[in-house]
Amino acid sequence: MNIHEYQAKDVLRRYGVPIPPGEVATTPDEAEAIARRVGKPVMVKAQVHVGGRGKAGGVKFCPTPEAAREKATAILGMDIKGLTVEKVLVTEAADIGTEAYVGIIVDRATKKAVFMVSAAGGIDIEEVAATTPEKIKYFPVDPRFGLLPFEAQQLGFFLYQDAKQARAAGKIMQQLYTAFVENGCSLAEINPLVVTPAGEVIAVDAKMVIDDNELERRKDLEALRDESSEAPSEVDARNANLTFIKLDGNVGCIVNGAGLAMATMDLVKFYGGEPANFLDIGGSSNPEKVVNALRIITADENVKAILFNIFGGITRTDDVANGIVTATKQNPLKVPIVIRLTGTNEEIAVKILSDNGFTALTDMDEAVKKAVQLATEGGK
């Protein structure tokens, strides 16, 4: 679950991370009033769950409260990568001497939280990793002990030669790590971590992603979810108990099981296509899941072909077939569909489909190649 910048900053403040004051506004009047309370130049920042807000014009410097109102008027309602800006963060503008990056991710290979720190902050860390990887230091944290003070100091000195600044950065990293662990994060980052001309080290931006598995026991974190800033298809899928992630391709994939779903996406790429999504209907044999899955997939205008790839173990393929028939009767398809079914009740499933004008394949490679071909032809 993504949370907004202002929410991430509120979390980090509770752990002692130094962050300039700020409040959220939903109207230009509120933005002006907050700027007057701050009493200094402010930044007005769009609050949406996508990167590149600044490049899209969603982050503006405002020297006066009147300017804050003007910029908020322009930003509120703006479309940034398909999401509408409904609120802005009005926060005190910081004097920036230098910018650094500090982030923590989960490394599933080592089963540890890994720090990534770089003196090249203020830009996408992916760009730094691709062009100047030597500017990034990686440090896996031993979960038994957490980030020890001397380790934090070493990371601080990778960023700054000044001892005072390095110690301040090390303290912030320990606070960030504690927040990361105690809130069940899969990612937490400060970009940029700023040194002001006066030598003060502060965080002027923050991002946190909460592992969905944490939400069952932490209703306070679940309350931070803002569905208006999420892709409508992902909200719809979550409410239908489907595992769904929207991508940028044109082959809509409906699969049972996360492993098979990943293999299917890899095979789509292998045969020259681009998957439009990750969608796992799970092991349930409920035809309603298939109906919901098809409804979500067909709502994506980028999808030029739909690929069903079902391996029937726990999942009964005849239930999937019934779901396909029901869904297509309710909402006739406007794009071609390729169905691969094998496993439990396969013969029954094939008969159900053939009786309703569908054909089913059993070979996975053949099905994927056909779906990619249809998607390519449909995209022309």
Side-chain angles (χ1 to χ4, degrees), residues 119-344:
I123 58 176
D124 293 338
I125 194 64
E126 294 85 358
E127 181 181 335
V128 179
T131 58
T132 52
E134 69 279 2
K135 292 184 178 180
I136 302 176
K137 182 176 181 65
Y138 298 87
F139 181 78
V141 180
D142 191 320
R144 297 171 298 175
F145 310 116
L147 184 66
L148 298 173
F150 81 92
E151 295 170 333
Q153 293 298 301
Q154 290 175 343
L155 292 173
F157 276 106
F158 181 78
L159 298 178
Y160 308 114
Q161 293 182 343
D162 181 89
K164 183 178 178 181
Q165 294 171 9
R167 286 194 294 269
K171 182 178 180 181
I172 289 172
M173 284 186 241
Q174 286 187 291
Q175 294 164 334
L176 181 66
Y177 179 77
T178 303
F180 177 89
V181 172
E182 292 187 357
N183 292 279
C185 295
S186 57
L187 177 146
E189 67 178 25
I190 297 170
N191 186 28
L193 182 69
V194 164
V195 176
T196 68
E200 183 182 9
V201 183
I202 59 174
V204 299
D205 201 349
K207 179 178 180 179
M208 299 181 80
V209 179
I210 311 296
D211 191 314
D212 285 350
N213 294 304
E214 191 75 10
L215 305 181
E216 183 65 26
R217 70 183 187 89
R218 291 288 302 277
K219 298 303 180 184
D220 57 321
L221 293 176
E222 188 175 27
L224 299 178
R225 186 186 293 279
D226 181 2
E227 291 187 346
S228 68
S229 288
E230 298 178 350
S233 56
E234 294 188 5
V235 175
D236 192 2
R238 185 171 59 250
N239 293 335
N241 294 316
L242 297 169
T243 303
F244 174 85
I245 300 172
K246 190 180 184 310
L247 302 172
D248 297 328
N250 59 7
V251 179
C253 303
I254 302 177
V255 190
N256 67 313
L260 184 59
M262 295 299 292
T264 301
M265 293 166 60
D266 285 345
L267 210 53
V268 169
K269 295 278 287 186
F270 179 78
Y271 286 117
E274 291 292 337
N277 61 275
F278 171 102
L279 197 157
D280 173 16
I281 63 173
S284 169
S285 289
N286 182 359
E288 188 63 26
K289 276 195 170 184
V290 180
V291 173
N292 288 329
L294 263 176
R295 174 173 50 80
I296 291 165
I297 291 290
T298 54
D300 184 352
E301 295 181 354
N302 293 327
V303 171
K304 304 303 179 186
I306 298 170
L307 170 63
F308 265 90
N309 187 13
I310 304 298
F311 181 84
I314 298 173
T315 302
R316 288 172 44 184
T317 60
D318 57 321
D319 277 337
V320 174
N322 280 322
I324 293 172
V325 171
T326 301
T328 52
K329 284 182 177 178
Q330 291 178 356
N331 297 291
L333 294 177
K334 298 179 181 178
V335 297
I337 183 172
V338 178
I339 304 168
R340 181 253 182 171
L341 294 172
T342 187
T344 305

